[in-house]
Amino acid sequence: MRQLIVRRLLQTLPMLFFVSVVCFTMIKLAPGDPVLSFVTPNMHADDIERIRHNLGLDKPAYIQYFIWIKEMVQGNFGYSLVNHQPVLDQILDRLPATAGLMGSAIALAVLLAIPLGLVAGANRNRWVDKLINFIAYIGISIPLFWLAILLMYLFAIKLHLLPSMGMRTIGVESPLDVLKHGILPCTVLAFSFLSGYVRYIRSSTIGQLKEEYVQIQYAFGSKKSTILFRHVLKHVLLPVITLIGMSMGDLVAGAIVTETVFSWPGIGSLGMTAVKGMDYPVIMGITLFSSLMLIFGNLVADILYSVVDPRIKLKG
Amino acid sequence: MRKGITGVAILLLLTLMISACSSGNNASSTNAAQTPAASQEPAAGEPKDGGSLIIGVASDPVVLNPNYAGDRVSLTIDQALYAPLFQVNNGKKTFYLADSLTPSSDNLTYTLKLKDGLTWHDGEKLTADDVVFTIDSILDEKQNSFLRANFLIGDKAIKAVKVDDLTVEFKLPQVSPAFEATLVQVFPIPKHIYENETNIEKSTKNASPVGSGPFKFKEYKAGEYLTLERFDNYFGGKPHLDSVTYRIAKDTNAANLALQNGEINVQYLDPKDVPTIQATNNFEILPYSEGRLAYLMFNANSDTGALAKKEVRQALSLALSRDELIQTAYTSSEYADPAKSFLTPDALYFTNDVPTFDNDAAKAKELLATAGESNLKLRYIVQSGNKAQEAISLYVQQKLKAIGVEVELQNMDSSAWVQKFIDLKATDYELALTGYIMGYDPDAYRILFTTDSSSNYSHYSNSEVDKLMNDGAGEADPAKRAEIYKKAQELVAEDAPIYPIAYTKTVVAVSKNYGGIDEAVLKPVVIFEDLSKIYKK
């Protein structure tokens, strides 16, 4: 077990390196020039060159990459090209907002998906199943920004129940206020995760219902609901661990669309701004940070898996 | 039976969504009736004190230091946080920190007098030292202020010298009437705060700025909002509002909903959203000139050389109709005035009474024939995703086809577009739609239209215009200067290096709960020139 963890952690390094190379290459290949955001029409050519030089953008791309990685190894994520603030500080500043939103959205989605998936799977091809499937399809096909605006319109403008945007009422510092602001974005995000989870749990329920232990329970005369929630549930929960592990990347990368529409001050909206300004230290920082979380999330999920289900033995 | 229930459930869900969605337009009027504030009349004409104002902005400010603020949001916030020396509207000066500005008889020295008893937000005195320090930091190459180029005439720097605590003298290397326009952009920064900073742009002190404007810094929550509070010692009198908050709303649709919901009180509007907001009856809709010219650029330097001929450029202009273009891009002439001159209406010596080539296809064909051009093929670079750009490009393509000119549209990402556009060596396109805001002094336009200058993207060259523009830069006599720029406007219009389309307006919605808008003066980019005048009814 310990060997496995060490090995997986070591595997992380080349993986991150690979991610950083791909990401950096893509940024440099993209059209556009970060210096342009500083240029005004009456600037002299040597002023522009000086800015380029100060930002280190006059060096060949591979040198820029080496400089970046050298700093990175020393734990320095670099500075934003646009506002010159340390990248790590900006990410950490925004992390609570994103983690809170994504965490609650994933939790809500899982909580809803488990009963929905179980019921759908147990009633395969019947109307309940079809209804749940229909909702899941809507979740997949509805554009998130549209759903967001719709809910905003309904709950903020029409019913005056919830604030339409932001994370706080101006000048108010209370968890309850944040919670109130979080309801709409959390619902929108949960809805988008829900569909995938429901379909996953549904198919795994269908699979489990064919297992012998279920037949035996039937033979013993157990009620269907007892079988479902006492026996099948346990088995179905296993893949949910993997699902959550896979979502760890999202947990820190944030949801660009949802955060932007609701003006939620998370990493997603930070990333959006960075991409627009070709601010590569920020883009790289966010990409690496979320890759790291994804890798760790998967590792933790694997470990948990073997703890919960002793049949699965992890071999390094 | 079971099937029936499914059907009902699905139908219900669908109707819910459709009704919620389609009510988008008429719902706003019912909303207006519910909001009691809308019907409240101002008690009297008298401004009241107290209350707060929320202004919606599209992004976080980049840097709250006027020596570095180049983005719209930073400039907007700085306008309330820092006070300028003076501002100019329609050629008239309004003095803020300054009390007067007097040129010497040879026009090489300007004497600036500051008001007495000025203070910074932290209580320190604001003196000539601060003004000199600000100019010196702008000129210091190590400090990287993009305003630096404005303080160079030729290649020589303008010098600021302290005479006494309230007097600064500016020494110019040569006569430059445009110098006043340069000073308009100066918002002094406090010497006692920034004196020992090796890099002011990256200084952590920008995170808690100390200014001299009507409102002082209170708090900033990245990605959420920035709040300023009243500065009681503001030299222009105590501001009416207790606080002003800039709320960051990145999504336009969401921002418009927040506006209707009262979570934002002031907000830019897209012309297409005006009817919705107007229907609520809760907002003043205020279109005002941005001092911006939108135009179609002819790249004379393209490898085909087609647009190097004046007649061809005139012919292309004749094939287009300004009014149709305005309808296409701005939905109505309410949001854009037809443009003929390269100067904008706010500029000194502006005249729209210049030669124009517009809407005459027959004459266009004739001109092409005399120029000996047939089967012209032009490449037009378009920013994809930009609706106005795309609409205009299709219009231009269709209109030029009518005079036998084929236009190939090249759609590209906006950053790629900008990169190509500002590359003076780019020869692989002929047409591009763009615009500029250059300020009120005509000398600022010199870099756009003189031979081989830094921003002459259309590669226009006319020695007569070069001479006029250079003379105008150093001509102190307003009457002679007016003559020079009148001639320059006529010549450029005749040569048609660009096809001026419109002087565009920006539209801002202000909640009817607020007054004092006229006194605060609507201003391009920053919305209000002086926020201290706004009050809550």
Side-chain angles (χ1 to χ4, degrees):
Chain A
M1 185 75 156
R2 183 171 301 157
Q3 222 182 352
L4 167 97
I5 297 176
V6 171
R7 177 180 290 206
R8 287 283 291 270
L9 285 178
L10 285 178
Q11 281 172 355
T12 307
L13 289 176
M15 204 121 71
L16 285 179
F17 175 74
F18 180 71
V19 168
S20 73
V21 171
V22 171
C23 181
F24 196 89
T25 314
M26 275 165 56
I27 296 169
K28 288 295 164 189
L29 285 179
D33 179 354
V35 175
L36 294 185
S37 51
F38 305 94
V39 173
T40 55
N42 57 353
M43 225 177 232
H44 291 230
D46 44 336
D47 282 331
I48 297 173
E49 276 321 298
R50 204 178 56 237
I51 291 177
R52 197 182 294 281
H53 177 76
N54 287 341
L55 294 174
L57 293 168
D58 52 346
K59 300 187 179 72
Y62 69 94
I63 303 272
Q64 289 181 41
Y65 178 76
F66 284 131
I67 293 173
W68 179 82
I69 205 136
K70 192 183 125 218
E71 293 293 316
M72 193 72 198
V73 170
Q74 297 166 0
N76 181 3
F77 274 63
Y79 296 86
S80 157
L81 296 181
V82 177
N83 62 14
H84 307 295
Q85 301 300 309
V87 171
L88 192 60
D89 287 5
Q90 292 191 65
I91 293 180
L92 293 180
D93 257 7
R94 305 244 180 171
L95 191 60
T98 290
L101 177 63
M102 299 301 279
S104 50
I106 291 172
L108 181 65
V110 169
L111 283 179
L112 289 174
I114 290 171
L116 286 175
L118 274 177
V119 170
N123 296 290
R124 193 180 172 191
N125 290 337
R126 277 191 278 195
W127 70 268
V128 189
D129 182 30
K130 283 182 181 156
L131 176 65
I132 293 172
N133 255 322
F134 178 73
I135 296 172
Y137 277 122
I138 289 183
I140 293 173
S141 37
I142 271 190
L144 279 190
F145 72 91
W146 185 79
L147 181 67
I149 295 281
L150 189 76
L151 292 181
M152 222 183 256
Y153 184 73
L154 210 64
F155 288 97
I157 308 280
K158 278 291 172 189
L159 302 172
H160 295 287
L161 285 177
L162 296 169
S164 69
M165 61 188 303
M167 192 170 83
R168 269 178 271 252
T169 308
I170 291 159
V172 176
E173 286 287 352
S174 100
L176 207 68
D177 184 55
V178 173
L179 210 65
K180 212 171 144 189
H181 281 80
I183 293 175
L184 287 184
C186 175
T187 310
V188 169
L189 269 179
F191 198 54
S192 75
F193 290 128
L194 183 68
S195 325
Y197 292 180
V198 167
R199 291 163 54 76
Y200 205 94
I201 293 169
R202 174 183 176 269
S203 58
S204 123
T205 307
I206 291 169
Q208 288 296 328
L209 285 175
K210 289 183 190 138
E211 293 286 324
E212 280 177 0
Y213 74 92
V214 175
Q215 304 302 324
I216 290 169
Q217 289 293 336
Y218 270 124
F220 282 165
S222 299
K223 275 198 293 185
K224 193 174 172 185
S225 59
T226 320
I227 299 173
L228 259 188
F229 287 97
R230 190 163 297 166
H231 303 286
V232 175
L233 178 63
K234 273 191 228 161
H235 295 274
V236 167
L237 280 184
L238 279 177
V240 171
I241 295 175
T242 317
L243 277 182
I244 296 177
M246 303 260 277
S247 305
M248 292 307 284
D250 295 333
L251 196 63
V252 292
I256 290 177
V257 174
T258 313
E259 286 185 4
T260 306
V261 173
F262 285 102
S263 299
W264 193 263
I267 294 175
S269 62
L270 179 72
M272 178 80 175
T273 315
V275 169
K276 276 190 191 159
M278 305 277 304
D279 191 350
Y280 78 86
V282 177
I283 305 175
M284 295 291 285
I286 293 175
T287 315
L288 276 203
F289 208 74
S290 55
S291 317
L292 202 65
M293 283 307 286
L294 179 64
I295 294 166
F296 272 118
N298 276 323
L299 178 60
V300 172
D302 285 351
I303 294 167
L304 276 181
Y305 221 99
S306 71
V307 172
V308 179
D309 188 350
R311 286 176 306 176
I312 298 166
K313 283 222 180 77
L314 291 176
K315 287 194 191 125
Chain B
M1 183 60 203
R2 274 183 172 166
K3 278 207 163 141
I5 295 175
T6 323
V8 170
I10 292 170
L11 207 71
L12 211 96
L13 206 71
L14 275 178
T15 38
L16 187 80
M17 289 180 164
I18 291 165
S19 62
C21 160
S22 65
S23 59
N25 285 325
N26 50 23
S28 30
S29 49
T30 48
N31 188 38
Q34 285 164 0
T35 317
S39 54
Q40 273 175 15
E41 287 297 315
E46 279 301 291
K48 280 195 298 194
D49 285 351
S52 59
L53 176 76
I54 306 170
I55 300 176
V57 291
S59 65
D60 281 277
V62 171
V63 54
L64 292 177
N65 183 322
N67 279 9
Y68 301 99
D71 59 300
R72 201 173 262 266
V73 177
S74 303
L75 288 167
T76 306
I77 298 173
D78 281 347
Q79 185 81 23
L81 204 49
Y82 290 86
L85 295 169
F86 60 91
Q87 301 275 276
V88 172
N89 293 301
N90 302 320
K92 257 188 24 215
K93 281 199 203 77
T94 313
F95 285 100
Y96 284 85
L97 293 176
D99 206 26
S100 66
L101 180 72
T102 330
S104 62
S105 55
D106 62 359
N107 289 304
L108 286 171
T109 306
Y110 282 73
T111 308
L112 179 92
K113 285 268 181 202
L114 288 173
K115 289 196 166 80
D116 201 2
L118 298 171
T119 58
W120 293 103
H121 291 159
D122 60 2
E124 293 285 323
K125 283 191 124 185
L126 192 163
T127 66
D129 286 321
D130 295 301
V131 178
V132 172
F133 172 77
T134 305
I135 308 290
D136 287 349
S137 330
I138 289 173
L139 279 168
D140 185 351
E141 283 197 18
K142 286 193 218 84
Q143 297 292 3
N144 274 322
S145 170
F146 67 86
L147 293 171
R148 183 171 177 270
N150 301 356
F151 282 86
L152 300 176
I153 299 177
D155 273 328
K156 294 200 197 89
I158 293 169
K159 271 203 202 75
V161 186
K162 176 186 170 180
V163 177
D164 60 48
D165 267 1
L166 297 180
T167 317
V168 180
E169 272 184 6
F170 296 96
K171 309 260 189 211
L172 277 54
Q174 64 187 64
V175 176
S176 168
F179 172 65
E180 288 191 2
T182 298
L183 274 193
V184 163
Q185 296 180 48
V186 173
F187 290 67
I189 58 171
K191 182 180 181 187
H192 67 280
I193 301 279
Y194 290 106
E195 200 167 12
N196 297 315
E197 292 292 305
T198 45
N199 190 331
I200 297 177
E201 185 177 24
K202 295 182 185 171
S203 166
T204 50
K205 290 173 176 165
N206 294 331
S208 47
V210 174
S212 56
F215 291 89
K216 58 185 179 186
F217 181 78
K218 188 176 174 203
E219 69 167 340
Y220 172 39
K221 297 225 179 272
E224 294 181 69
Y225 60 83
L226 186 144
T227 301
L228 307 179
E229 61 185 356
R230 198 183 63 216
F231 175 45
D232 289 342
N233 290 332
Y234 180 57
F235 58 85
K238 201 172 89 173
H240 296 303
L241 293 167
D242 288 336
S243 69
V244 176
T245 297
Y246 300 86
R247 177 142 222 174
I248 296 142
K250 294 188 177 170
D251 183 84
T252 323
N253 292 319
N256 286 339
L257 287 181
L259 183 71
Q260 292 174 53
N261 208 25
E263 290 170 81
I264 289 176
N265 312 122
V266 174
Q267 163 88 31
Y268 283 117
L269 286 187
D270 200 88
K272 74 172 168 37
D273 296 326
V274 168
T276 319
I277 301 297
Q278 202 148 33
T280 65
N281 234 344
N282 291 338
F283 297 94
E284 302 276 4
I285 307 287
L286 308 163
Y288 64 99
S289 170
E290 267 188 315
R292 175 174 182 270
L293 172 70
Y295 63 96
L296 185 68
M297 193 199 77
F298 301 133
N299 181 7
N301 194 35
S302 87
D303 47 18
T304 61
L307 299 188
K309 285 183 202 156
K310 172 168 103 177
E311 291 75 18
V312 177
R313 298 194 299 259
Q314 290 172 344
L316 297 180
S317 305
L318 280 166
L320 306 172
S321 154
R322 203 164 269 126
D323 292 339
E324 285 172 12
L325 275 167
I326 288 173
Q327 281 294 337
T328 309
Y330 309 103
T331 66
S332 142
S333 55
E334 231 175 292
Y335 308 121
D337 295 326
K340 289 168 190 163
S341 166
F342 70 85
L343 289 182
T344 51
D346 58 320
L348 296 173
Y349 320 121
F350 160 79
T351 172
N352 226 0
D353 182 19
V354 292
T356 182
F357 304 93
D358 187 42
N359 205 14
D360 190 343
K363 195 154 175 233
K365 282 184 196 160
E366 225 172 88
L367 268 176
L368 276 185
T370 46
E373 288 287 350
S374 55
N375 298 325
L376 257 186
K377 284 197 181 74
L378 303 176
R379 292 153 295 182
Y380 182 153
I381 54 170
V382 185
Q383 290 182 27
S384 45
N386 180 328
K387 286 197 182 102
Q389 285 249 351
E390 284 172 354
I392 287 192
S393 68
L394 291 172
Y395 169 84
V396 170
Q397 187 180 41
Q398 179 202 340
K399 290 298 260 193
L400 293 188
K401 199 176 173 189
I403 60 160
V405 175
E406 194 184 316
V407 175
E408 180 200 339
L409 300 180
Q410 298 183 344
N411 283 280
M412 54 184 79
D413 168 80
S414 63
S415 43
W417 186 96
V418 174
Q419 205 171 14
K420 188 182 276 298
F421 180 80
I422 70 159
D423 177 8
L424 289 167
K425 295 185 202 84
T427 56
D428 55 354
Y429 76 98
E430 283 83 23
L431 302 172
L433 179 78
T434 182
Y436 54 61
I437 299 180
M438 298 304 290
Y440 75 87
D441 195 280
D443 183 40
Y445 297 74
R446 180 159 45 114
I447 52 170
L448 297 165
F449 295 104
T450 50
T451 309
D452 292 334
S453 61
S454 60
S455 302
N456 186 349
Y457 305 119
S458 46
H459 298 272
Y460 173 57
S461 177
N462 180 333
S463 54
E464 215 176 327
V465 171
D466 291 352
K467 185 173 182 317
L468 285 168
M469 292 293 234
N470 284 324
D471 289 351
E475 179 54 68
D477 179 3
K480 284 186 192 152
R481 223 177 162 221
E483 201 49 49
I484 289 172
Y485 285 113
K486 183 172 189 299
K487 187 88 188 117
Q489 288 176 81
E490 283 167 0
L491 283 175
V492 172
E494 173 71 32
D495 287 341
I498 60 172
Y499 176 71
I501 298 170
Y503 304 118
T504 57
K505 289 182 188 174
T506 190
V507 188
V508 69
V510 182
S511 158
K512 283 187 179 166
N513 295 335
Y514 295 88
I517 295 157
D518 289 345
E519 294 78 7
V521 185
L522 288 166
K523 197 157 184 89
V525 183
V526 300
I527 308 183
F528 298 116
E529 178 173 303
D530 185 0
L531 260 176
S532 71
K533 301 288 198 292
I534 300 277
Y535 60 91
K536 194 164 185 181
K537 285 177 187 165

